[in-house]
Coordinates of all heavy atoms in Angstrom, one line a residue:
M1 N -22.5 -14.9 -0.8 CA -21.2 -15.4 -0.2 C -21.4 -15.4 1.4 O -21.9 -14.4 1.9 CB -20.0 -14.6 -0.6 CG -19.6 -14.7 -2.0 SD -18.0 -13.9 -2.3 CE -18.5 -12.3 -2.6
K2 N -20.9 -16.4 2.0 CA -21.0 -16.6 3.4 C -19.6 -16.2 4.0 O -18.6 -16.8 3.6 CB -21.4 -18.0 3.8 CG -21.5 -18.3 5.2 CD -21.8 -19.7 5.5 CE -21.7 -20.0 6.9 NZ -21.8 -21.5 7.2
K3 N -19.6 -15.4 5.1 CA -18.4 -15.0 5.7 C -17.8 -16.3 6.4 O -18.5 -17.0 7.2 CB -18.6 -13.9 6.7 CG -17.2 -13.4 7.4 CD -17.4 -12.2 8.2 CE -16.1 -11.7 8.8 NZ -16.3 -10.5 9.6
S4 N -16.5 -16.6 6.1 CA -15.9 -17.8 6.7 C -14.9 -17.5 7.8 O -14.4 -18.4 8.4 CB -15.3 -18.7 5.6 OG -14.3 -18.0 4.9
G5 N -14.5 -16.2 7.9 CA -13.5 -15.9 8.9 C -12.9 -14.6 8.6 O -13.3 -13.8 7.7
Y6 N -11.8 -14.3 9.3 CA -11.0 -13.1 9.1 C -9.6 -13.3 9.6 O -9.3 -14.2 10.3 CB -11.7 -11.9 9.8 CG -11.9 -12.0 11.3 CD1 -11.0 -11.4 12.2 CD2 -12.9 -12.7 11.8 CE1 -11.1 -11.6 13.5 CE2 -13.1 -12.8 13.2 CZ -12.2 -12.3 14.1 OH -12.3 -12.4 15.4
S7 N -8.7 -12.4 9.2 CA -7.3 -12.4 9.5 C -6.9 -11.0 10.0 O -7.3 -10.0 9.5 CB -6.5 -12.9 8.4 OG -6.8 -14.1 7.9
V8 N -6.0 -11.0 11.0 CA -5.6 -9.7 11.6 C -4.0 -9.7 11.6 O -3.4 -10.6 12.1 CB -6.1 -9.6 13.0 CG1 -5.6 -8.3 13.7 CG2 -7.6 -9.7 13.0
P9 N -3.4 -8.6 11.1 CA -2.0 -8.5 11.1 C -1.5 -8.2 12.5 O -2.2 -7.6 13.3 CB -1.7 -7.4 10.2 CG -2.9 -6.5 10.1 CD -4.1 -7.5 10.4
G10 N -0.3 -8.7 12.8 CA 0.3 -8.5 14.1 C 1.7 -8.0 14.0 O 2.2 -7.6 13.0
A11 N 2.5 -8.2 15.1 CA 3.9 -7.8 15.1 C 4.8 -8.6 14.2 O 4.5 -9.8 14.0 CB 4.4 -7.8 16.5
F12 N 5.8 -8.0 13.6 CA 6.8 -8.6 12.8 C 6.3 -9.4 11.6 O 6.9 -10.4 11.3 CB 7.7 -9.5 13.7 CG 8.2 -8.8 14.9 CD1 7.7 -9.1 16.2 CD2 9.2 -7.8 14.8 CE1 8.2 -8.4 17.3 CE2 9.7 -7.1 15.9 CZ 9.2 -7.4 17.2
G13 N 5.2 -9.0 11.1 CA 4.6 -9.6 9.9 C 3.7 -10.8 10.1 O 3.2 -11.4 9.2
T14 N 3.5 -11.2 11.4 CA 2.7 -12.3 11.7 C 1.2 -12.0 11.4 O 0.8 -10.8 11.6 CB 2.8 -12.7 13.1 OG1 4.1 -13.2 13.4 CG2 1.9 -13.9 13.5
I15 N 0.4 -12.9 10.9 CA -1.0 -12.7 10.6 C -1.7 -13.8 11.4 O -1.5 -15.0 11.2 CB -1.3 -12.8 9.1 CG1 -0.5 -11.7 8.3 CG2 -2.8 -12.7 8.9 CD1 -0.6 -11.9 6.8
T16 N -2.7 -13.5 12.2 CA -3.5 -14.4 13.0 C -4.8 -14.6 12.3 O -5.5 -13.7 11.9 CB -3.7 -13.9 14.4 OG1 -2.4 -13.7 15.0 CG2 -4.4 -15.0 15.2
H17 N -5.2 -15.9 12.1 CA -6.4 -16.3 11.4 C -7.5 -16.8 12.4 O -7.2 -17.5 13.3 CB -6.2 -17.4 10.4 CG -5.0 -17.0 9.5 ND1 -5.1 -16.1 8.5 CD2 -3.7 -17.5 9.4 CE1 -3.9 -16.0 7.9 NE2 -3.1 -16.9 8.4
Y18 N -8.8 -16.3 12.1 CA -9.9 -16.7 13.0 C -11.0 -17.2 12.1 O -11.2 -16.8 11.0 CB -10.4 -15.5 13.7 CG -9.4 -14.8 14.6 CD1 -8.5 -13.8 14.1 CD2 -9.2 -15.2 15.9 CE1 -7.6 -13.3 15.0 CE2 -8.3 -14.7 16.8 CZ -7.4 -13.7 16.3 OH -6.5 -13.1 17.1
D19 N -11.9 -18.1 12.7 CA -13.1 -18.6 12.0 C -14.2 -17.5 12.1 O -14.0 -16.5 12.7 CB -13.5 -20.0 12.4 CG -14.0 -20.0 13.8 OD1 -14.3 -18.9 14.4 OD2 -14.2 -21.1 14.4
A20 N -15.3 -17.8 11.5 CA -16.4 -16.8 11.5 C -16.9 -16.5 12.9 O -17.6 -15.5 13.1 CB -17.5 -17.3 10.6
N21 N -16.7 -17.4 13.9 CA -17.1 -17.2 15.3 C -16.1 -16.5 16.1 O -16.3 -16.4 17.3 CB -17.5 -18.5 15.9 CG -18.7 -19.2 15.1 OD1 -19.6 -18.5 14.8 ND2 -18.6 -20.4 14.9
G22 N -14.9 -16.2 15.6 CA -13.9 -15.5 16.3 C -12.9 -16.4 17.0 O -12.0 -16.0 17.8
K23 N -13.0 -17.7 16.7 CA -12.0 -18.7 17.3 C -10.7 -18.7 16.5 O -10.8 -18.9 15.3 CB -12.6 -20.1 17.4 CG -11.7 -21.1 17.9 CD -12.4 -22.5 17.9 CE -11.4 -23.5 18.5 NZ -11.9 -24.9 18.3
K24 N -9.6 -18.6 17.2 CA -8.3 -18.7 16.5 C -8.1 -20.0 15.8 O -8.3 -21.1 16.5 CB -7.1 -18.4 17.4 CG -5.8 -18.4 16.7 CD -4.7 -18.1 17.7 CE -3.3 -18.2 17.1 NZ -2.2 -17.9 18.0
I25 N -7.8 -20.0 14.5 CA -7.6 -21.3 13.8 C -6.1 -21.4 13.3 O -5.8 -22.5 12.7 CB -8.6 -21.4 12.6 CG1 -8.5 -20.3 11.7 CG2 -10.0 -21.6 13.2 CD1 -9.3 -20.4 10.4
G26 N -5.3 -20.4 13.5 CA -3.9 -20.6 13.0 C -3.3 -19.2 12.8 O -3.8 -18.2 13.1
E27 N -2.0 -19.3 12.3 CA -1.3 -18.0 12.0 C -0.3 -18.3 10.9 O 0.1 -19.4 10.6 CB -0.7 -17.4 13.2 CG 0.4 -18.1 13.8 CD 1.0 -17.3 15.1 OE1 0.2 -16.6 15.7 OE2 2.1 -17.5 15.4
S28 N 0.1 -17.2 10.3 CA 1.1 -17.2 9.2 C 2.2 -16.3 9.6 O 2.0 -15.2 10.2 CB 0.5 -16.7 7.9 OG -0.6 -17.5 7.5
R29 N 3.4 -16.8 9.4 CA 4.6 -16.0 9.8 C 5.5 -15.9 8.6 O 5.6 -16.8 7.8 CB 5.4 -16.7 10.9 CG 4.6 -16.9 12.2 CD 5.4 -17.6 13.2 NE 4.5 -18.3 14.2 CZ 4.7 -19.5 14.7 NH1 5.7 -20.2 14.4 NH2 3.8 -20.0 15.5
P30 N 6.2 -14.7 8.5 CA 7.1 -14.6 7.3 C 8.2 -15.6 7.3 O 8.8 -16.0 8.3 CB 7.7 -13.2 7.6 CG 6.8 -12.5 8.5 CD 6.2 -13.6 9.3
G31 N 8.5 -16.1 6.1 CA 9.7 -17.0 5.9 C 10.7 -16.2 5.1 O 10.8 -15.0 5.1
I32 N 11.6 -16.9 4.5 CA 12.7 -16.3 3.7 C 12.2 -16.0 2.3 O 11.3 -16.6 1.8 CB 14.0 -17.2 3.7 CG1 13.7 -18.5 3.1 CG2 14.5 -17.3 5.1 CD1 15.0 -19.4 2.9
F33 N 12.8 -15.0 1.7 CA 12.6 -14.6 0.3 C 11.1 -14.3 0.0 O 10.6 -14.6 -1.0 CB 13.0 -15.7 -0.7 CG 14.5 -16.1 -0.5 CD1 14.8 -17.4 -0.2 CD2 15.5 -15.2 -0.7 CE1 16.1 -17.7 0.0 CE2 16.8 -15.5 -0.6 CZ 17.1 -16.8 -0.2
G34 N 10.4 -13.7 1.0 CA 9.0 -13.2 0.8 C 8.0 -14.3 1.0 O 6.8 -14.0 0.7
S35 N 8.3 -15.5 1.4 CA 7.3 -16.5 1.6 C 6.6 -16.4 2.9 O 7.1 -15.6 3.8 CB 7.9 -17.9 1.5 OG 8.8 -18.1 2.6
M36 N 5.5 -17.1 3.1 CA 4.8 -17.1 4.4 C 4.7 -18.5 4.8 O 4.3 -19.4 4.0 CB 3.4 -16.4 4.3 CG 3.4 -14.9 4.1 SD 4.1 -14.0 5.5 CE 2.7 -14.0 6.6
N37 N 5.0 -18.9 6.1 CA 4.8 -20.2 6.6 C 3.5 -20.2 7.4 O 3.2 -19.3 8.2 CB 6.0 -20.6 7.5 CG 7.2 -20.7 6.7 OD1 7.2 -21.4 5.6 ND2 8.3 -20.1 7.1
H38 N 2.7 -21.3 7.3 CA 1.4 -21.3 7.9 C 1.4 -22.4 9.0 O 2.0 -23.5 8.8 CB 0.3 -21.6 6.9 CG 0.4 -20.7 5.7 ND1 0.1 -19.4 5.8 CD2 0.7 -21.0 4.4 CE1 0.3 -18.8 4.6 NE2 0.6 -19.8 3.7
Y39 N 0.7 -22.1 10.1 CA 0.7 -23.0 11.3 C -0.7 -23.1 11.8 O -1.5 -22.2 11.7 CB 1.6 -22.4 12.4 CG 3.0 -22.2 12.0 CD1 3.4 -21.0 11.3 CD2 4.0 -23.2 12.1 CE1 4.8 -20.9 10.9 CE2 5.3 -23.1 11.7 CZ 5.7 -21.9 11.1 OH 7.0 -21.7 10.7
D40 N -1.0 -24.3 12.4 CA -2.3 -24.5 13.1 C -2.3 -23.9 14.5 O -1.3 -23.3 14.9 CB -2.7 -25.9 13.0 CG -1.8 -26.9 13.8 OD1 -1.0 -26.4 14.7 OD2 -1.9 -28.1 13.6
T41 N -3.3 -24.1 15.2 CA -3.4 -23.5 16.6 C -2.4 -24.1 17.5 O -2.1 -23.5 18.6 CB -4.8 -23.6 17.2 OG1 -5.2 -25.0 17.1 CG2 -5.8 -22.8 16.4
N42 N -1.9 -25.3 17.2 CA -0.9 -25.9 18.1 C 0.5 -25.6 17.7 O 1.5 -26.1 18.3 CB -1.1 -27.4 18.1 CG -2.4 -27.9 18.6 OD1 -2.9 -27.3 19.6 ND2 -3.1 -28.8 18.0
G43 N 0.7 -24.7 16.7 CA 2.0 -24.4 16.3 C 2.7 -25.3 15.3 O 3.8 -25.2 14.9
K44 N 1.9 -26.3 14.8 CA 2.4 -27.3 13.8 C 2.3 -26.6 12.4 O 1.3 -26.1 12.0 CB 1.6 -28.6 13.8 CG 2.1 -29.6 12.8 CD 1.2 -30.8 12.9 CE 1.7 -31.8 11.8 NZ 0.8 -33.0 11.7
K45 N 3.4 -26.7 11.6 CA 3.4 -26.1 10.3 C 2.5 -26.9 9.4 O 2.6 -28.1 9.3 CB 4.8 -26.1 9.7 CG 5.0 -25.4 8.4 CD 6.4 -25.3 7.9 CE 6.4 -24.6 6.6 NZ 7.8 -24.6 6.0
T46 N 1.6 -26.2 8.7 CA 0.7 -26.8 7.8 C 1.0 -26.6 6.3 O 0.4 -27.2 5.4 CB -0.7 -26.3 8.1 OG1 -0.8 -24.9 7.9 CG2 -1.2 -26.7 9.5
G47 N 1.9 -25.6 6.0 CA 2.2 -25.3 4.6 C 2.9 -24.0 4.5 O 3.3 -23.4 5.5
N48 N 3.0 -23.5 3.2 CA 3.6 -22.2 3.0 C 3.0 -21.6 1.7 O 2.4 -22.3 0.9 CB 5.1 -22.3 3.0 CG 5.6 -23.0 1.7 OD1 5.1 -24.0 1.3 ND2 6.7 -22.4 1.1
S49 N 3.3 -20.3 1.5 CA 2.9 -19.6 0.3 C 4.1 -18.8 -0.2 O 4.8 -18.3 0.5 CB 1.7 -18.6 0.6 OG 0.6 -19.3 1.0
T50 N 4.2 -18.8 -1.6 CA 5.3 -18.1 -2.2 C 4.8 -17.2 -3.3 O 3.7 -17.5 -3.9 CB 6.4 -19.1 -2.8 OG1 5.7 -19.9 -3.8 CG2 7.0 -20.0 -1.7
Q51 N 5.5 -16.2 -3.7 CA 5.1 -15.4 -4.8 C 5.1 -16.2 -6.1 O 6.0 -16.9 -6.4 CB 6.1 -14.2 -4.9 CG 6.0 -13.2 -3.8 CD 4.8 -12.3 -4.0 OE1 3.8 -12.6 -3.3 NE2 4.9 -11.4 -4.8
G52 N 4.1 -15.9 -6.9 CA 4.0 -16.6 -8.2 C 4.8 -15.8 -9.2 O 5.1 -14.6 -9.1
F53 N 5.2 -16.5 -10.3 CA 6.1 -15.9 -11.3 C 5.4 -14.7 -12.0 O 6.0 -13.7 -12.3 CB 6.5 -17.0 -12.4 CG 7.4 -16.5 -13.4 CD1 8.8 -16.2 -13.0 CD2 7.1 -16.2 -14.7 CE1 9.7 -15.8 -13.9 CE2 8.0 -15.8 -15.6 CZ 9.3 -15.6 -15.2
F54 N 4.1 -14.8 -12.2 CA 3.3 -13.8 -12.9 C 2.4 -13.0 -11.9 O 1.4 -12.4 -12.2 CB 2.4 -14.4 -14.0 CG 3.2 -14.9 -15.1 CD1 3.2 -16.3 -15.3 CD2 3.9 -14.1 -16.0 CE1 4.0 -16.8 -16.4 CE2 4.6 -14.6 -17.1 CZ 4.6 -16.0 -17.2
G55 N 2.8 -13.0 -10.6 CA 2.1 -12.3 -9.6 C 1.3 -13.3 -8.8 O 1.2 -14.5 -9.1
G56 N 0.6 -12.8 -7.8 CA -0.2 -13.6 -6.9 C 0.6 -14.5 -6.0 O 1.8 -14.3 -5.9
L57 N 0.0 -15.4 -5.4 CA 0.7 -16.4 -4.5 C 0.3 -17.8 -4.9 O -0.8 -18.1 -5.3 CB 0.2 -16.1 -3.0 CG 0.5 -14.8 -2.4 CD1 -0.3 -14.7 -1.1 CD2 2.0 -14.6 -2.2
N58 N 1.3 -18.7 -4.7 CA 1.1 -20.1 -4.8 C 1.1 -20.7 -3.5 O 2.0 -20.4 -2.6 CB 2.2 -20.8 -5.7 CG 2.1 -20.3 -7.1 OD1 1.0 -20.2 -7.7 ND2 3.2 -20.0 -7.7
H59 N 0.1 -21.6 -3.2 CA 0.0 -22.2 -1.8 C 0.4 -23.7 -1.9 O -0.1 -24.4 -2.8 CB -1.4 -22.1 -1.3 CG -1.9 -20.7 -1.4 ND1 -1.4 -19.7 -0.6 CD2 -2.9 -20.1 -2.1 CE1 -2.0 -18.5 -0.8 NE2 -2.9 -18.7 -1.8
Y60 N 1.1 -24.1 -0.9 CA 1.6 -25.5 -0.8 C 1.3 -26.1 0.5 O 1.3 -25.4 1.5 CB 3.1 -25.5 -1.0 CG 3.5 -25.0 -2.4 CD1 3.8 -23.6 -2.5 CD2 3.6 -25.8 -3.5 CE1 4.2 -23.1 -3.7 CE2 4.0 -25.2 -4.7 CZ 4.2 -23.9 -4.8 OH 4.6 -23.3 -6.0
D61 N 1.0 -27.4 0.5 CA 0.8 -28.1 1.8 C 2.2 -28.4 2.5 O 3.2 -28.0 1.9 CB 0.0 -29.4 1.7 CG 0.7 -30.5 0.8 OD1 1.9 -30.4 0.6 OD2 0.0 -31.4 0.4
N62 N 2.2 -29.0 3.6 CA 3.4 -29.2 4.3 C 4.4 -30.2 3.6 O 5.6 -30.3 4.0 CB 3.1 -29.7 5.8 CG 4.3 -29.5 6.7 OD1 5.1 -28.6 6.5 ND2 4.4 -30.3 7.7
K63 N 3.9 -30.9 2.6 CA 4.7 -31.9 1.9 C 5.2 -31.3 0.6 O 5.9 -31.9 -0.2 CB 4.0 -33.1 1.6 CG 3.6 -33.9 2.9 CD 2.9 -35.2 2.6 CE 2.5 -35.8 3.9 NZ 1.8 -37.1 3.7
G64 N 4.9 -30.0 0.3 CA 5.4 -29.3 -0.9 C 4.5 -29.5 -2.1 O 4.8 -29.0 -3.2
N65 N 3.3 -30.1 -1.9 CA 2.3 -30.2 -3.0 C 1.5 -28.9 -3.2 O 1.0 -28.4 -2.2 CB 1.3 -31.4 -2.7 CG 2.0 -32.7 -2.6 OD1 2.8 -33.1 -3.4 ND2 1.7 -33.4 -1.5
K66 N 1.4 -28.4 -4.4 CA 0.6 -27.2 -4.7 C -0.8 -27.5 -4.4 O -1.4 -28.4 -5.0 CB 0.8 -26.7 -6.1 CG 0.2 -25.4 -6.3 CD 0.5 -24.8 -7.7 CE -0.2 -23.5 -7.9 NZ 0.0 -22.9 -9.2
I67 N -1.5 -26.7 -3.6 CA -2.9 -26.8 -3.3 C -3.8 -25.7 -3.8 O -5.0 -25.8 -3.6 CB -3.1 -27.1 -1.7 CG1 -2.5 -25.9 -1.0 CG2 -2.4 -28.4 -1.3 CD1 -2.8 -25.9 0.5
G68 N -3.2 -24.6 -4.3 CA -4.0 -23.6 -4.8 C -3.2 -22.3 -5.1 O -1.9 -22.3 -5.0
S69 N -3.9 -21.2 -5.3 CA -3.3 -19.9 -5.6 C -4.2 -18.8 -5.2 O -5.4 -19.0 -5.1 CB -2.9 -19.8 -7.1 OG -4.0 -19.9 -7.9
T70 N -3.7 -17.6 -5.1 CA -4.5 -16.4 -4.8 C -4.0 -15.3 -5.7 O -2.9 -15.1 -6.0 CB -4.2 -15.9 -3.3 OG1 -4.7 -17.0 -2.4 CG2 -5.0 -14.7 -3.0
H71 N -5.0 -14.6 -6.3 CA -4.8 -13.5 -7.2 C -5.6 -12.3 -6.8 O -6.7 -12.4 -6.4 CB -5.1 -13.9 -8.6 CG -4.3 -15.1 -9.1 ND1 -3.1 -15.0 -9.6 CD2 -4.6 -16.5 -9.1 CE1 -2.6 -16.2 -9.9 NE2 -3.5 -17.1 -9.6
E72 N -5.0 -11.1 -6.9 CA -5.6 -9.9 -6.5 C -6.7 -9.6 -7.5 O -6.7 -9.9 -8.7 CB -4.6 -8.8 -6.5 CG -3.6 -8.9 -5.4 CD -2.7 -7.7 -5.3 OE1 -3.1 -6.6 -5.7 OE2 -1.6 -7.9 -4.8
T73 N -7.8 -8.9 -7.0 CA -8.9 -8.4 -7.8 C -8.8 -6.8 -7.6 O -8.0 -6.3 -7.0 CB -10.2 -8.9 -7.3 OG1 -10.5 -8.5 -6.0 CG2 -10.2 -10.4 -7.4
F74 N -9.8 -6.2 -8.2 CA -9.9 -4.7 -8.1 C -10.0 -4.3 -6.6 O -9.3 -3.4 -6.2 CB -11.2 -4.2 -8.8 CG -11.3 -2.7 -8.8 CD1 -10.4 -1.9 -9.4 CD2 -12.4 -2.2 -8.0 CE1 -10.6 -0.5 -9.3 CE2 -12.5 -0.8 -8.0 CZ -11.6 0.0 -8.6
I75 N -10.8 -5.0 -5.8 CA -10.8 -4.8 -4.4 C -10.7 -6.2 -3.7 O -11.6 -7.0 -3.8 CB -12.1 -4.2 -3.9 CG1 -12.2 -2.8 -4.5 CG2 -12.2 -4.1 -2.4 CD1 -13.5 -2.1 -4.2
G76 N -9.6 -6.5 -3.1 CA -9.4 -7.8 -2.4 C -8.7 -8.8 -3.3 O -7.8 -8.5 -4.1
S77 N -9.0 -10.1 -3.1 CA -8.4 -11.2 -3.8 C -9.3 -12.4 -3.9 O -10.2 -12.5 -3.1 CB -7.0 -11.5 -3.1 OG -7.2 -12.0 -1.8
N78 N -9.0 -13.3 -4.8 CA -9.7 -14.5 -4.9 C -8.7 -15.7 -4.7 O -7.6 -15.6 -5.2 CB -10.3 -14.7 -6.3 CG -11.5 -13.7 -6.5 OD1 -12.2 -13.4 -5.6 ND2 -11.7 -13.3 -7.7
T79 N -9.1 -16.7 -4.0 CA -8.3 -17.9 -3.8 C -8.9 -19.1 -4.6 O -10.2 -19.3 -4.6 CB -8.2 -18.2 -2.3 OG1 -7.6 -17.1 -1.7 CG2 -7.4 -19.5 -2.1
Y80 N -8.1 -19.8 -5.3 CA -8.5 -21.0 -6.1 C -7.8 -22.2 -5.6 O -6.7 -22.2 -5.1 CB -8.1 -20.7 -7.6 CG -8.6 -19.4 -8.1 CD1 -8.0 -18.2 -8.0 CD2 -9.9 -19.4 -8.8 CE1 -8.5 -17.0 -8.5 CE2 -10.4 -18.2 -9.3 CZ -9.7 -17.0 -9.1 OH -10.2 -15.8 -9.6
D81 N -8.5 -23.4 -5.9 CA -7.8 -24.7 -5.6 C -6.9 -25.0 -6.7 O -6.7 -24.2 -7.7 CB -8.9 -25.8 -5.3 CG -9.7 -26.1 -6.6 OD1 -9.4 -25.7 -7.7 OD2 -10.8 -26.8 -6.4
N82 N -6.2 -26.1 -6.6 CA -5.2 -26.5 -7.6 C -5.8 -26.8 -9.0 O -5.0 -26.9 -10.0 CB -4.3 -27.6 -7.1 CG -5.0 -28.9 -6.9 OD1 -6.2 -28.9 -6.9 ND2 -4.2 -29.9 -6.6
K83 N -7.1 -26.9 -9.1 CA -7.7 -27.2 -10.4 C -8.3 -25.9 -11.0 O -8.9 -25.9 -12.0 CB -8.8 -28.2 -10.2 CG -8.3 -29.5 -9.8 CD -9.4 -30.6 -9.7 CE -8.8 -31.9 -9.2 NZ -9.8 -32.9 -8.9
G84 N -8.1 -24.7 -10.3 CA -8.6 -23.5 -10.8 C -10.0 -23.1 -10.4 O -10.6 -22.1 -10.8
N85 N -10.6 -23.8 -9.5 CA -12.0 -23.5 -9.0 C -11.9 -22.5 -7.9 O -11.1 -22.6 -6.9 CB -12.6 -24.8 -8.4 CG -12.8 -25.9 -9.5 OD1 -13.2 -25.6 -10.6 ND2 -12.4 -27.1 -9.1
K86 N -12.7 -21.4 -8.0 CA -12.7 -20.4 -7.0 C -13.3 -20.9 -5.7 O -14.3 -21.5 -5.7 CB -13.5 -19.2 -7.5 CG -13.5 -18.0 -6.6 CD -14.2 -16.8 -7.2 CE -14.4 -15.7 -6.2 NZ -15.4 -14.7 -6.6
K87 N -12.5 -20.7 -4.6 CA -13.0 -21.2 -3.3 C -13.3 -20.1 -2.3 O -14.1 -20.3 -1.4 CB -11.9 -22.0 -2.7 CG -11.6 -23.3 -3.4 CD -12.9 -24.1 -3.4 CE -12.7 -25.5 -4.1 NZ -13.9 -26.2 -4.1
K88 N -12.6 -18.9 -2.4 CA -12.8 -17.9 -1.4 C -12.5 -16.5 -2.0 O -11.7 -16.4 -2.9 CB -11.8 -18.2 -0.3 CG -11.8 -17.2 0.9 CD -11.0 -17.7 2.1 CE -9.6 -17.9 1.7 NZ -8.7 -18.2 2.9
H89 N -13.2 -15.5 -1.4 CA -12.9 -14.1 -1.8 C -12.5 -13.4 -0.5 O -13.2 -13.6 0.5 CB -14.1 -13.4 -2.4 CG -13.8 -12.0 -2.8 ND1 -13.1 -11.6 -3.9 CD2 -14.2 -10.8 -2.1 CE1 -13.0 -10.3 -3.9 NE2 -13.6 -9.8 -2.8
T90 N -11.5 -12.6 -0.5 CA -11.1 -11.8 0.6 C -11.1 -10.3 0.3 O -10.7 -9.9 -0.7 CB -9.6 -12.2 1.0 OG1 -9.6 -13.6 1.2 CG2 -9.1 -11.4 2.2
D91 N -11.8 -9.6 1.3 CA -11.9 -8.1 1.2 C -11.1 -7.5 2.3 O -11.1 -8.1 3.4 CB -13.3 -7.7 1.3 CG -14.1 -8.0 0.0 OD1 -13.5 -8.0 -1.1 OD2 -15.4 -8.1 0.2
P92 N -10.6 -6.3 2.1 CA -10.0 -5.6 3.2 C -11.0 -5.2 4.3 O -12.1 -4.8 3.9 CB -9.3 -4.4 2.6 CG -9.7 -4.3 1.2 CD -10.5 -5.6 0.9
G93 N -10.7 -5.4 5.5 CA -11.6 -5.0 6.6 C -11.1 -3.9 7.4 O -10.0 -3.3 7.1
F94 N -11.7 -3.5 8.5 CA -11.3 -2.4 9.3 C -10.0 -2.6 10.0 O -9.1 -1.8 10.0 CB -12.4 -2.1 10.3 CG -12.2 -0.7 11.0 CD1 -12.3 0.4 10.3 CD2 -11.8 -0.7 12.3 CE1 -12.1 1.7 10.9 CE2 -11.6 0.5 13.0 CZ -11.8 1.7 12.3
F95 N -9.8 -3.8 10.5 CA -8.5 -4.2 11.2 C -7.7 -5.2 10.5 O -6.6 -5.6 10.9 CB -8.8 -4.7 12.6 CG -9.3 -3.6 13.5 CD1 -10.6 -3.6 13.9 CD2 -8.5 -2.6 13.9 CE1 -11.1 -2.6 14.7 CE2 -9.0 -1.6 14.8 CZ -10.3 -1.6 15.2
G96 N -8.1 -5.8 9.4 CA -7.4 -6.9 8.7 C -8.2 -7.2 7.4 O -8.5 -6.4 6.6
W97 N -8.5 -8.5 7.2 CA -9.1 -9.0 6.0 C -10.3 -9.9 6.4 O -10.2 -10.7 7.3 CB -8.1 -9.8 5.2 CG -6.9 -9.0 4.8 CD1 -6.7 -8.2 3.8 CD2 -5.7 -9.0 5.6 NE1 -5.5 -7.6 3.8 CE2 -4.8 -8.1 4.9 CE3 -5.2 -9.6 6.7 CZ2 -3.5 -7.8 5.3 CZ3 -4.0 -9.3 7.2 CH2 -3.1 -8.4 6.5
N98 N -11.4 -9.8 5.6 CA -12.6 -10.6 5.8 C -12.6 -11.7 4.7 O -12.3 -11.3 3.5 CB -13.8 -9.8 5.7 CG -13.9 -8.8 6.9 OD1 -13.8 -9.2 8.0 ND2 -14.2 -7.6 6.6
H99 N -12.9 -12.9 5.1 CA -12.9 -14.0 4.1 C -14.3 -14.5 3.9 O -15.1 -14.7 4.8 CB -12.0 -15.2 4.6 CG -10.6 -14.8 5.0 ND1 -9.7 -14.3 4.1 CD2 -10.0 -14.7 6.2 CE1 -8.6 -14.0 4.8 NE2 -8.8 -14.3 6.0
Y100 N -14.6 -14.8 2.6 CA -16.0 -15.3 2.3 C -15.8 -16.5 1.4 O -15.1 -16.6 0.4 CB -16.7 -14.2 1.5 CG -16.9 -12.9 2.3 CD1 -15.9 -11.9 2.2 CD2 -18.0 -12.7 3.1 CE1 -16.1 -10.7 2.9 CE2 -18.1 -11.6 3.8 CZ -17.2 -10.6 3.7 OH -17.3 -9.4 4.5
E101 N -16.6 -17.6 1.7 CA -16.7 -18.8 0.9 C -17.6 -18.5 -0.3 O -18.5 -17.8 -0.2 CB -17.3 -19.9 1.7 CG -16.5 -20.3 2.9 CD -15.2 -21.1 2.6 OE1 -15.2 -21.8 1.6 OE2 -14.2 -20.9 3.4
D102 N -17.2 -19.1 -1.4 CA -18.1 -19.0 -2.6 C -19.1 -20.2 -2.6 O -18.9 -21.2 -2.1 CB -17.2 -19.0 -3.9 CG -16.7 -17.7 -4.2 OD1 -17.1 -16.7 -3.5 OD2 -15.8 -17.6 -5.0

């Protein structure tokens, strides 16, 4: 697996996302009812994530179309596209989370 980036938690529940070279690529901010809203580097909303009925998270684009889901593993989590294909694995890191492409 190739490292594709990392995410670092910040104040008030905000999470800042970086690519593998350390360049900021966006952030996620808490929404209502436990959801997270996602933004690009210019502050434009790109989508959101909500809790799934059976656990995990469901991910949606800015138009409300489901684009994937994330489910916890023994250590970390796996992210899948809307067809169920595994796309990424995330492990806890020293200051946040490390992301790996499959």
Side-chain angles (χ1 to χ4, degrees):
M1 287 189 279
K2 177 182 172 190
K3 186 172 181 180
S4 61
Y6 60 97
S7 299
V8 179
F12 308 108
T14 298
I15 301 170
T16 305
H17 308 289
Y18 300 90
D19 67 14
N21 297 315
K23 180 181 176 189
K24 182 180 175 181
I25 56 173
E27 69 180 25
S28 299
R29 300 180 204 139
I32 58 172
F33 305 116
S35 67
M36 290 294 281
N37 294 313
H38 310 295
Y39 301 88
D40 64 16
T41 55
N42 298 318
K44 180 180 176 188
K45 186 176 178 184
T46 59
N48 72 317
S49 298
T50 61
Q51 288 288 101
F53 187 71
F54 295 108
L57 296 170
N58 292 316
H59 307 294
Y60 301 89
D61 65 16
N62 202 27
K63 296 180 181 180
N65 301 310
K66 186 175 180 183
I67 57 172
S69 61
T70 298
H71 301 279
E72 292 184 27
T73 63
F74 180 68
I75 298 176
S77 61
N78 291 326
T79 300
Y80 304 88
D81 64 16
N82 63 349
K83 295 179 181 173
N85 300 311
K86 184 177 168 190
K87 293 297 183 184
K88 181 172 54 173
H89 179 77
T90 300
D91 285 332
F94 193 68
F95 292 109
W97 304 273
N98 296 310
H99 308 294
Y100 301 90
E101 297 287 329
D102 276 348

